[in-house]
Amino acid sequence: MLWRFGLQHASNIDKLLEKEDLTLEEVLNEPDLQQEIREQNPKVVSYLVQPQNLRQMVDYIATEAFFKSTKLAAAACDVLCSNSAAFAEALAAAYVAGDFEDSDESGTESDGGGQAEPEPEAEPRQHLLEQLWGVMGVEAGRLDAQQATQFSRVMCSVLQRKPYEALDFIRAQDAAVAQFLAHLGVSAVVDLLLKVISLEELEGGPGVVAWLGSQRLIPRLVARLAPDQEPETHSLAAQVLLDIIAISQCNNPAQPTIGTNALIAELKSAATVARLADYMLARDAPHATSTLINCVYIFIELIRRNYSDADGAATPEPGDGASSGSDGARRDSRLAGVDL
């Protein structure tokens, strides 16, 4: 890293940053931008973390601007998810309206002779994450998959670097769990939900599982397995439940796990098991077969995981189909070799 020793030579982007009336769009279209960020070019990072530029990059991802230029949205996403911690820290910070004004337009000089001006009332603080989270407010079934992917990438990056601040923000959103459930058909949103759950293992106990329990995540997912729901709804809900089981009761040391928790306890509770059994036995319901199949998948996974725990979590022999593949694999690999 040559910046630290003053041995760097001027790059194209350094010359670009000296241009008058420079626009963020010009910088985002610069071919060497990502390379300069990876090398921690201080001029580039300093320019991009300015609040007005951060807000514009979030706009490219989270607003109608996304559909006007997916190229700019992709470039903005790459910047915000880059290896520089400055972007996650800036996204997690709180701002006032004046922070988004150009520096040469803010502030006034005092004449020094008059009485002191009364202190203005404190301005409300705002977070760029609120603007970014607007993606989750899109009506169910209308969320663009590419936009959701970029939103999820940025949120996961902030969760990775500033987990406590990001989790506090998500928990402060009144409809967060309802919005997650509304977009179960969008894999990027489900990945974000699983990322949130996985942070339960952080030191200091962020209380993610307790919060999701208070929001009735498991009962709301189980309700989507009712035989009067559509088969696609069954499949999506079952897959999320299987994923929660996987990250909670993983027997592979190479895979992250948060251990048995309140969500799994609720899923294994007598009340939930009885509810699932009632769904499975409702033969005259319009989609009884789909409910039966998806509930069986869940029971098999619960039994397999708990049997392994009870048996000392013995490591299976290579070639054992029941344990082949990673714990993050989808349903087919999870159920491979299970003797029904």
Side-chain angles (χ1 to χ4, degrees):
M1 188 183 298
L2 300 178
W3 308 106
R4 186 176 302 171
F5 304 104
L7 300 177
Q8 74 278 9
H9 47 79
S11 63
N12 291 335
I13 201 167
D14 282 331
K15 298 174 183 177
L16 180 64
L17 291 174
E18 296 173 0
K19 176 184 174 182
E20 293 185 8
D21 300 323
L22 176 67
T23 65
L24 176 62
E25 183 175 342
E26 291 177 276
V27 177
L28 292 178
N29 284 324
E30 174 59 41
D32 297 331
L33 177 60
Q34 286 302 315
Q35 179 64 28
E36 296 293 333
I37 294 176
R38 282 193 293 270
E39 294 179 357
Q40 301 292 317
N41 183 326
K43 293 181 180 179
V44 175
V45 174
S46 177
Y47 173 80
L48 291 171
V49 296
Q50 292 176 18
Q52 65 270 27
N53 290 332
L54 284 170
R55 183 170 66 176
Q56 191 171 346
M57 285 190 284
V58 171
D59 271 343
Y60 285 140
I61 296 170
T63 69
E64 290 298 317
F66 171 85
F67 300 100
K68 296 177 182 178
S69 178
T70 55
K71 180 181 178 181
L72 284 175
C77 179
D78 288 340
V79 168
L80 297 176
C81 298
S82 67
N83 65 331
S84 175
F87 297 107
E89 292 173 359
L91 286 172
Y95 300 92
V96 295
D99 292 332
F100 299 106
E101 298 175 2
D102 292 336
S103 58
D104 57 352
E105 297 177 358
S106 59
T108 58
E109 294 185 3
S110 171
D111 58 12
Q115 293 182 340
E117 292 288 336
E119 291 188 7
E121 294 184 8
E123 292 186 63
R125 311 295 287 183
Q126 51 185 296
H127 291 80
L128 290 174
L129 291 180
E130 294 174 358
Q131 187 175 338
L132 183 64
W133 194 262
V135 171
M136 293 290 282
V138 175
E139 184 180 347
R142 301 189 64 180
L143 180 55
D144 182 85
Q146 187 178 357
Q147 185 179 34
T149 297
Q150 293 180 4
F151 157 75
S152 179
R153 282 186 61 200
V154 176
M155 286 300 305
C156 285
S157 178
V158 179
L159 282 165
Q160 186 68 31
R161 294 182 179 272
K162 303 292 288 184
Y164 296 100
E165 294 85 347
L167 286 172
D168 285 345
F169 166 79
I170 293 174
R171 284 183 290 196
Q173 308 309 302
D174 293 335
V177 172
Q179 290 170 332
F180 277 121
L181 294 173
H183 299 302
L184 289 184
V186 184
S187 60
V189 174
V190 175
D191 290 342
L192 177 58
L193 173 61
L194 296 174
K195 175 66 175 179
V196 169
I197 296 173
S198 71
L199 292 178
E200 178 67 19
E201 64 180 345
L202 285 177
E203 185 178 353
V208 176
V209 165
W211 169 65
L212 291 171
S214 71
Q215 298 295 311
R216 303 185 67 253
L217 175 64
I218 295 300
R220 291 161 84 171
L221 285 170
V222 169
R224 284 165 166 74
L225 294 169
D228 58 348
Q229 298 284 333
E230 293 297 321
E232 182 180 4
T233 302
H234 296 159
S235 179
L236 294 173
Q239 187 60 65
V240 175
L241 288 169
L242 291 171
D243 287 332
I244 292 173
I245 295 169
I247 65 174
S248 299
Q249 298 179 290
C250 177
N251 297 324
N252 184 351
Q255 296 291 330
T257 179
I258 62 174
T260 300
N261 54 75
L263 295 179
I264 295 299
E266 186 170 16
L267 183 58
K268 296 190 297 185
S269 68
T272 302
V273 170
R275 188 178 184 185
L276 290 172
D278 287 342
Y279 288 165
M280 295 168 68
L281 297 175
R283 297 182 180 180
D284 297 330
H287 304 296
T289 301
S290 174
T291 290
L292 175 64
I293 292 171
N294 283 282
C295 288
V296 166
Y297 286 147
I298 293 168
F299 281 131
I300 288 175
E301 191 71 354
L302 282 172
I303 292 170
R304 185 168 72 86
R305 300 276 179 173
N306 283 277
Y307 176 79
S308 297
D309 291 342
D311 200 33
T315 303
E317 294 295 327
D320 184 354
S323 300
S324 62
S326 68
D327 281 286
R330 291 305 188 190
R331 178 179 306 155
D332 289 344
S333 60
R334 288 198 186 114
L335 299 177
V338 176
D339 186 3
L340 299 179

